[in-house]
Amino acid sequence: MIRIGSKIFTEQYILCEMYRLLIEGNTDLAVSSKTGLGGTKICFDALRNDQIDFYPEYTGTGLLVILQPAEEVSARVMRDKDSTYAFVKQQFEAEYQLEWLPPVGFNNAYALMMRKNMAAQLQLNSISDLTHYLTKKRTP
């Protein structure tokens, strides 16, 4: 019996169901889904305490929420998705004896939307531009 866990939001429910269907459709293994466990800490503890066998996790969350490295380490390894994954994979193996499997092929990156004319007026092309604009605006 393979026990799949998930956090308590829609994307995680979908991923859990996809994994269940893939395992059942391609193996003789039975699958049990434990969805809606809560947040990262609850899922991670369930994995470490042998209550689930795996759950979908994001490399950025693994890095910042679970590993919590010093800020300069985070900045260094978060240059790109490949270096983040390599660092997280190595650290989880060393610290927790857990294996990170290769990414599944989508990116949960953050983005903002703004009307084109407003972005042009404020000269905003990135989240960094918005941060700079807001910081300038608050400074007397």
Side-chain angles (χ1 to χ4, degrees):
M1 173 73 66
I2 303 292
R3 301 161 301 166
I4 307 171
S6 85
K7 297 179 189 181
I8 193 164
F9 57 92
T10 305
E11 182 177 289
Q12 288 272 307
Y13 293 134
I14 293 168
L15 289 170
C16 186
E17 181 65 11
M18 288 170 58
Y19 284 124
R20 184 187 68 74
L21 292 170
L22 285 168
I23 293 168
E24 289 177 344
N26 294 286
T27 73
D28 293 330
L29 299 169
V31 179
S32 164
S33 299
K34 296 184 176 194
T35 58
L37 293 176
T40 299
K41 177 87 169 99
I42 292 169
C43 286
F44 185 65
D45 288 347
L47 179 65
R48 292 196 63 215
N49 293 317
D50 197 32
Q51 296 168 326
I52 58 174
D53 297 305
F54 75 93
Y55 75 98
E57 188 56 274
Y58 310 96
T59 51
T61 302
L63 176 70
L64 299 173
V65 176
I66 299 172
L67 294 174
Q68 299 181 352
E71 196 171 314
E72 62 274 3
V73 173
S74 294
R76 179 175 45 84
V77 301
M78 290 186 76
R79 292 184 317 262
D80 59 66
K81 63 182 174 60
D82 295 329
S83 58
T84 304
Y85 169 73
F87 180 83
V88 168
K89 179 176 176 52
Q90 186 274 326
Q91 290 296 304
F92 270 76
E93 287 172 2
E95 225 173 292
Y96 301 110
Q97 295 72 54
L98 292 173
E99 183 177 354
W100 275 70
L101 299 176
V104 296
F106 71 90
N107 186 349
N108 188 17
Y110 294 99
L112 298 174
M113 288 191 293
M114 178 181 276
R115 288 188 176 88
K116 191 174 185 174
N117 61 342
M118 178 61 77
Q121 177 186 340
L122 299 176
Q123 299 178 338
L124 303 178
N125 296 303
S126 67
I127 294 174
S128 297
D129 289 347
L130 177 60
T131 301
H132 181 69
Y133 173 80
L134 293 173
T135 304
K136 261 189 354 190
K137 191 170 175 100
R138 283 189 229 156
T139 307

